[in-house]
């Protein structure tokens, strides 16, 4: 990881307990049919911040919460509902 990269690690999970490590090229090429993409970012990294906000597909409300400097418990219902609540 470079100083402004933001990528700590990432894996494409196979659904059977394993996964393949990927870097930015693999993250950018990932498609849902490849498996679950798990990305661990350092929120201070410019590249990771930009990817999360513009390319990840993460809802802007969630993106904003993930980038907050102070972590606190929260629940934000979105169009898809809240998992486990109902």
């Amino acid at each position: 990881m470079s100083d402004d990269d933001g990528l700590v690690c990432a894996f494409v999970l196979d659904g059977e307990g394993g996964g393949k490590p990927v870097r930015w090229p693999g993250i950018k090429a990932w498609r849902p049919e490849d498996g679950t993409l798990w990305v661990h970012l350092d929120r201070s990294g410019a590249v990771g911040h930009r990817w999360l906000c513009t390319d990840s597909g993460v809802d802007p409300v969630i993106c904003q919460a993930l980038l907050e400097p102070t972590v606190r418990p929260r629940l934000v219902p979105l169009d898809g509902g809240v998992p486990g609540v109902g």
Side-chain angles (χ1 to χ4, degrees), residues 40-51:
H40 181 163
L41 296 173
D42 174 347
R43 68 176 178 80
S44 65
V47 174
H49 185 279
R50 188 171 36 257
W51 175 81

Side-chain angles (χ1 to χ4, degrees), residues 13-63:
L13 305 177
D14 64 15
E16 297 180 12
K20 178 181 127 187
V22 292
R23 300 296 300 162
W24 283 118
I27 292 169
K28 292 175 181 176
W30 174 84
R31 300 290 172 256
E33 56 271 14
D34 297 336
T36 300
L37 177 64
W38 183 82
V39 180
H40 181 163
L41 296 173
D42 174 347
R43 68 176 178 80
S44 65
V47 174
H49 185 279
R50 188 171 36 257
W51 175 81
L52 183 64
C53 293
T54 62
D55 299 326
S56 72
V58 171
D59 184 279
V61 171
I62 295 171
C63 183

